[in-house]
Amino acid sequence: MPSTPYYVTTPIYYVNDEPHLGHIYTTIAADVLARHHRLMNEDVFFLTGVDEHGQKVQQAAEAQNIQPIELADKVVSRYQQLWPELAITNTDFIRTSEPRHHQAVHAMWKKLCAAGAIYKDIYEGWYCVPCETFWTETQLNDAECLEDKKCPDCKRSVEKVQEESYFFRLSQYQEPLLEHIRNHPDFIAPESRRNEVLRFVESGLRDLSVSRTTFSWGVPVPDDDAHVIYVWIDALTNYLTVLGMPEHDQSPYWPADLHLIGKDILRFHAVYWPCMLMAADLPLPKRIFAHGWWTVEGEKMSKSKGNALRPSDLLAHYEADVLRYFLLREVPFGADGDFSYDALKMRYNSELANDIGNLLNRSLAMLKKYRNSIVPESQTEEACDRALIADVEAMQREVDQHLSKQAFHLAIERISIVVRHGNRYIEENTPWALAKDGNEARLNTVLYHLVEMLRLVAVQLHPFMPNKSLAMLEQILTINPENIHLNFHDVGGWGKVKAGDTCLAPTPIFPRME
Ligand code: ME8
């Protein structure tokens, strides 16, 4: 039976600059979901890639005296090297300069034209190159940005633009979009962002300029190559390109289950994109989640301050799994957060080294000491054993519920509850005293429950820390975990560890960070 498709996307990142913390954040989050859905045996399509076109990239290339495509090639190789280092398991990597993407953008444009949603006029207004956003005079005025000629969003300089342009009849989709958002409470998350979009749409949508004539780095308008297609129309279409749409009307992966984005690009995804899709008569994505922004040691990351955290520097000091864990544990997804080395060290030492690491070491050390690392048979269960099993089973259900809402920090916290329960279980059952008193039956049961609980904790941690999870499973199962078919059906239930299975002596997986 074909398995359920699950399609998750990240934004495609501009190639004007090197990857930074913000880029790895979204991609790690998407990877955790992709891995979790693979554990559920679903047919996962996980897309990331790069946005190569637009004035911003053209200007960045000019500043380096190279062609935009050369700049793109350079930055793309950074991403392609980075993703495996962070254990990212994307299915496809889209570059918007690829022929398949040009074709998809042309097909999209033609669909919009056929629907009567495109017309030609003169655009007169302002443009923010860093955001690749059009602003009207009134919008600048309302945001008190007209006098300084600043972008209401990023506060950098805007430039005056007057040129012939194609327009998309965005205004026509105001009511259908409002209706869709109101009827689909889960379409935009978190709630505060949904309200923000509702207010924006209710205040009135104006038609959108969707082509430029004053630079050339982009997809030309079909049959009118004095115009390049607005970079956001081009970029958003990437989510269809990889599925062979919109040339083909459908794909098992469309509509996407989830577009993960940062809060700064919400309007493009939650307003322009659904309206384009409605005009093209295509289904809308099921959900758009806008996460918050990171500051670094209390300061906004910026090129001019030179404090943008580079993933390669982070990876020189911390393992990928530790970064993945910290970024998703530290801050509720959707809220803004601050990255600090002290916070990372504190969380690592208390939650990974102390709680999980200790539990694994203590348990496997006792198994070695008392049973020569061979898993004993569980005997009569007592209330505390049943409580541990019930907690593990609740963890499995609740992690899934939290992840279906992109509440990564709650999912991790739910796993931590079981870990703390496990440490308490040791304190309460005092295996060393059972051994001393010769209470072999009870000792067998306690050791069995510890090993099985640890195994299921490792399975639940897998999407977050794939390497650490495999290292845990290797110690628990002594078989090459690469050979295990990691899905909840095969490895998820309580009782899969059997009496007679052999574990390894513990090797610390989370040594303390000094
Ligand atoms: O916007 N903290 O690309 P981009 C968290 N090409 N996230 C951050 C961040 C920070 N400090 N800084 C940036 C684009 N981001 C477009 C997308 S999609 C069809 C086209 C996030 O490279 C930001 O919120 O400027 C955005 O989601 C992502 O990085 C890509 O930014």
Side-chain angles (χ1 to χ4, degrees):
M1 205 175 75
S3 62
T4 316
Y6 178 79
Y7 183 26
V8 58
T9 69
T10 74
I12 48 173
Y13 307 116
Y14 283 127
V15 294
N16 65 308
D17 194 10
E18 305 270 314
H20 62 60
L21 180 69
H23 301 132
I24 70 170
Y25 184 45
T26 331
T27 313
I28 289 171
D31 189 67
V32 169
L33 295 174
R35 286 176 181 273
H36 179 76
H37 283 268
R38 283 189 205 113
L39 281 170
M40 293 199 290
N41 244 346
E42 292 182 10
D43 175 14
V44 171
F45 197 111
F46 163 21
L47 176 65
T48 188
V50 288
D51 191 353
E52 299 178 67
H53 293 139
Q55 204 172 357
K56 169 150 101 169
V57 172
Q58 180 166 320
Q59 284 181 357
E62 279 162 6
Q64 296 184 34
N65 244 333
I66 54 176
Q67 294 300 315
I69 191 67
E70 292 176 73
L71 175 62
D73 286 345
K74 213 164 81 178
V75 177
V76 162
S77 65
R78 298 271 197 282
Y79 277 105
Q80 286 177 331
Q81 185 187 340
L82 178 63
W83 293 147
E85 288 176 6
L86 280 165
I88 301 298
T89 52
N90 51 305
T91 315
D92 200 341
F93 182 93
I94 174 98
R95 297 186 56 168
T96 54
S97 59
E98 289 175 74
R100 62 171 175 165
H101 183 65
H102 281 237
Q103 270 168 27
V105 174
H106 275 181
M108 181 54 126
W109 184 270
K110 286 177 185 161
K111 269 188 183 284
L112 298 179
C113 290
I118 300 279
Y119 63 94
K120 208 180 209 179
D121 204 341
I122 301 287
Y123 177 77
E124 205 180 331
W126 298 86
Y127 195 77
C128 170
V129 177
C131 297
E132 299 280 13
T133 306
F134 293 98
W135 295 103
T136 64
E137 189 119 340
T138 323
Q139 285 172 320
L140 288 195
N141 200 28
D142 291 350
E144 296 177 359
C145 288
L146 188 57
E147 204 175 309
D148 298 338
K149 303 187 181 61
K150 294 263 186 290
C151 169
D153 274 354
C154 74
K155 310 287 184 237
R156 285 174 282 194
S157 301
V158 287
E159 58 187 41
K160 185 118 200 184
V161 173
Q162 187 184 26
E163 60 190 45
E164 188 186 63
S165 174
Y166 286 94
F167 284 80
F168 170 56
R169 293 187 195 281
L170 191 66
S171 58
Q172 275 192 357
Y173 299 93
Q174 174 171 335
E175 285 313 313
L177 179 61
L178 278 175
E179 198 184 317
H180 185 86
I181 300 174
R182 289 185 187 130
N183 291 340
H184 297 83
D186 294 331
F187 178 50
I188 303 169
E191 180 77 17
S192 57
R193 299 287 165 213
R194 176 173 186 264
N195 293 335
E196 200 181 295
V197 173
L198 275 171
R199 279 195 304 275
F200 177 80
V201 182
E202 281 160 358
S203 75
L205 294 182
R206 262 178 302 269
D207 289 353
L208 178 71
S209 169
V210 288
S211 75
R212 305 286 312 274
T213 53
T214 43
F215 73 97
S216 57
W217 179 233
V219 181
V221 167
D223 306 320
D224 191 355
D225 54 17
H227 290 255
V228 289
I229 294 175
Y230 176 39
V231 65
W232 271 102
I233 300 287
D234 161 350
L236 288 162
T237 305
N238 92 88
Y239 302 129
L240 297 178
T241 302
V242 296
L243 308 180
M245 292 173 69
E247 289 102 317
H248 299 289
D249 286 334
Q250 51 189 7
S251 150
Y253 300 105
W254 194 261
D257 291 271
L258 180 66
H259 290 318
L260 285 181
I261 57 167
K263 63 180 182 179
D264 56 319
I265 54 175
L266 179 62
R267 197 179 340 128
F268 303 99
H269 283 82
V271 180
Y272 302 167
W273 180 227
C275 292
M276 282 167 65
L277 289 166
M278 282 192 267
D281 200 20
L282 292 170
L284 307 195
K286 292 180 200 157
R287 185 167 168 89
I288 300 162
F289 193 109
H291 65 67
W293 266 38
W294 286 93
T295 49
V296 175
E297 306 283 353
E299 288 203 43
K300 201 172 161 207
M301 274 196 294
S302 86
K303 234 176 160 178
S304 51
K305 281 193 205 124
N307 66 342
L309 276 187
R310 298 295 174 201
S312 48
D313 294 341
L314 290 170
L315 282 166
H317 294 99
Y318 305 104
E319 289 172 274
D321 281 28
V322 174
L323 291 171
R324 292 169 64 107
Y325 179 89
F326 175 73
L327 292 176
L328 294 178
R329 175 67 184 96
E330 179 70 359
V331 177
F333 207 60
D336 290 335
D338 184 50
F339 184 99
S340 86
Y341 292 101
D342 281 348
L344 188 152
K345 187 173 139 187
M346 245 165 62
R347 246 184 220 292
Y348 176 90
N349 280 338
S350 75
E351 294 172 13
L352 298 181
N354 278 2
D355 290 350
I356 301 182
N358 253 343
L359 180 62
L360 182 71
N361 291 343
R362 292 167 85 190
S363 305
L364 292 185
M366 290 188 291
L367 186 69
K368 180 169 177 353
K369 183 167 174 192
Y370 303 128
R371 293 291 179 266
N372 202 19
S373 293
I374 297 171
V375 178
E377 189 156 7
S378 172
Q379 292 170 352
T380 315
E381 278 176 359
E382 296 185 359
C384 70
D385 310 322
R386 287 192 293 271
L388 188 69
I389 299 175
D391 197 14
V392 166
E393 286 174 346
M395 162 186 77
Q396 295 178 315
R397 282 191 305 275
E398 290 168 28
V399 164
D400 185 46
Q401 285 160 6
H402 292 312
L403 288 182
S404 72
K405 299 189 196 108
Q406 293 77 50
F408 298 96
H409 68 298
L410 295 181
I412 294 179
E413 174 55 27
R414 187 61 189 84
I415 303 170
S416 308
I417 289 174
V418 168
V419 170
R420 291 195 294 267
H421 192 160
N423 276 316
R424 233 176 26 245
Y425 179 84
I426 296 180
E427 299 309 321
E428 285 165 9
N429 283 286
T430 54
W432 47 90
L434 297 174
K436 199 164 150 227
D437 298 345
N439 193 345
E440 303 301 335
R442 185 68 202 140
L443 182 58
N444 283 348
T445 305
V446 169
L447 291 173
Y448 180 89
H449 280 70
L450 283 172
V451 171
E452 187 56 340
M453 177 232 16
L454 276 163
R455 188 184 66 83
L456 290 168
V457 162
V459 170
Q460 287 297 319
L461 280 175
H462 187 75
F464 297 95
M465 296 191 286
N467 299 309
K468 296 290 185 189
S469 149
L470 289 183
M472 284 177 77
L473 289 173
E474 205 160 6
Q475 293 191 20
I476 298 164
L477 299 167
T478 64
I479 50 173
N480 181 356
E482 304 276 357
N483 298 335
I484 311 170
H485 188 205
L486 263 185
N487 67 47
F488 291 137
H489 182 262
D490 291 350
V491 298
W494 183 274
K496 298 255 155 65
V497 155
K498 298 286 176 235
D501 287 352
T502 317
C503 298
L504 294 181
T507 319
I509 289 179
F510 299 103
R512 275 189 77 78
M513 214 180 256
E514 297 309 333

